[in-house]
Amino acid sequence: MKYLSYEYQGSREVGRLDDDGQTIHRLDLSADDAYRGLMSLAEAAARGDTGPGDSGETRALEDVVVKAPFPAPRRNVFCVGKNYYDHAHEFSNSGFDSSAAQGSVPKVPIIFSKVPECVNDPEAPIPVYPDVSTAIDYEAELTIVIGKGGRGISKADALYHVWGYTVINDVTARDLQGSHSQWLIGKSQDGFCPMGPLAVTADEVDLENAGIRTRVNGEQRQDSKLGLLIFDVPTLIETLSRGITLYPGDLIATGTPAGVGIGYKPPKYLKDGDVVEVEVDGIGTLRNTIVYQG
Ligand code: MG
């Protein structure tokens, strides 16, 4: 199933996208729940409920403004650094990698986070303040949505805890990421987490063969597949949940393949007016424009 959060005639709603790709079946959610995007679906799955049913009303996709599926995550978005072999080499050679002492391919997952308030909509502008940073980069990432939470989840059980997947663009201010050693500030600038356009149930994504790509102004920059992750989805869930209880609706961005701007010589940072498209097969395409402020 494919779900989305959207605005229709000034109201927030949540719906299921029909197989025709054009028709939305509005779900029967309270106004308060609709503002939480798909959170109530993940929570229902965790309880073993079927979740909200169809309201009987339909909307045309072209008549709505699609919003982030999880506009207000309950806490920071967990993120994984250097989790594709090709990108690990590219980043360690960039000179911006404060974790390079570990070697180019990490022995254990590198975990950081983005603050929930930096979540952005699938086609919204990405604001850039040039007095803060002009070294702005993109990172296409498959993102896990947790259904049933837990602590001490084994690899063997991990996929039973996945409600589904969405996509984020892990937008990064490279200079801040490097100068502050810890990555949070460079990763959490306002608007730096475009998310969506859909969130889909786990059966919709082929974790081996689905493609993951980025284009900037139509030029392909990243082109890989999900099966090339260093640490796969079960390993990430086992690692995080060893000492941190996971909750329904928690988000885990799984890392990005090669082809980020910092990997080019000279680096290809995002500039004012650039259109950056990030996509994963089966989930859809984020399409955001860089807009310099001030
Ligand atoms: Mg990333």
Side-chain angles (χ1 to χ4, degrees):
M1 301 282 215
K2 299 182 174 185
Y3 295 96
L4 69 166
S5 174
Y6 57 91
E7 190 174 295
Y8 175 74
Q9 296 185 345
S11 295
R12 292 296 287 267
E13 298 181 347
V14 171
R16 176 176 56 81
L17 188 64
D18 193 276
D19 288 342
D20 69 11
Q22 301 297 323
T23 307
I24 300 166
H25 301 272
R26 183 178 76 80
L27 298 185
D28 190 14
L29 282 180
S30 71
D32 284 348
D33 272 343
Y35 269 97
R36 300 194 306 140
L38 275 58
M39 275 298 295
S40 53
L41 278 72
E43 290 166 351
R47 292 191 304 266
D49 293 356
T50 53
D54 283 2
S55 69
E57 293 178 331
T58 60
R59 316 285 187 221
L61 183 61
E62 63 186 8
D63 292 338
V64 309
V65 178
V66 181
K67 311 295 277 186
F70 295 89
R74 57 179 300 136
R75 56 179 171 179
N76 287 24
V77 177
F78 293 109
C79 300
V80 184
K82 297 201 300 186
N83 199 24
Y84 285 79
Y85 288 101
D86 50 2
H87 172 65
H89 294 302
E90 155 189 86
F91 186 53
S92 288
N93 293 332
S94 71
F96 283 77
D97 182 7
S98 55
S99 69
Q102 277 200 42
S104 63
V105 175
K107 294 178 179 58
V108 294
I110 297 169
I111 308 292
F112 62 96
S113 72
K114 294 169 90 78
V115 300
E117 293 79 7
C118 72
V119 169
N120 201 350
D121 292 325
E123 301 214 356
I126 298 171
V128 170
Y129 293 82
D131 58 331
V132 180
S133 173
T134 54
I136 308 303
D137 210 344
Y138 50 83
E139 296 189 353
E141 309 208 3
L142 174 76
T143 298
I144 304 163
V145 180
I146 294 294
K148 184 167 185 258
R151 180 183 162 105
I153 299 167
S154 69
K155 274 190 219 183
D157 289 340
L159 293 180
Y160 297 109
H161 292 260
V162 176
W163 174 83
Y165 300 96
T166 187
V167 181
I168 74 158
N169 182 350
D170 178 17
V171 182
T172 304
R174 293 294 181 201
D175 45 358
L176 300 180
Q177 182 185 26
S179 61
H180 289 265
S181 296
Q182 297 285 327
W183 297 357
L184 184 138
I185 191 169
K187 298 279 190 176
S188 294
Q189 302 279 300
D190 292 348
F192 272 25
C193 190
M195 181 192 296
L198 307 177
V200 305
T201 48
D203 55 299
E204 298 272 353
V205 178
D206 180 344
L207 291 176
E208 275 304 307
N209 297 307
I212 178 168
R213 292 170 217 93
T214 296
R215 292 179 295 276
V216 178
N217 303 325
E219 176 193 330
Q220 189 148 286
R221 298 280 186 85
Q222 295 186 285
D223 183 16
S224 189
K225 62 178 193 171
L226 301 182
L228 296 178
L229 284 171
I230 298 171
F231 301 107
D232 63 9
V233 169
T235 303
L236 296 175
I237 290 173
E238 181 181 81
T239 301
L240 271 168
S241 73
R242 189 167 291 144
I244 300 175
T245 300
L246 295 177
Y247 294 95
D250 273 345
L251 301 169
I252 305 168
T254 56
T256 203
V260 297
I262 195 70
Y264 291 89
K265 294 192 180 356
K268 293 185 177 184
Y269 294 129
L270 294 168
K271 302 182 297 297
D272 188 31
D274 280 353
V275 177
V276 55
E277 295 174 290
V278 159
E279 68 189 13
V280 173
D281 293 338
I283 306 176
T285 305
L286 300 167
R287 188 174 294 104
N288 303 86
T289 303
I290 301 295
V291 178
Y292 271 34
Q293 311 289 309

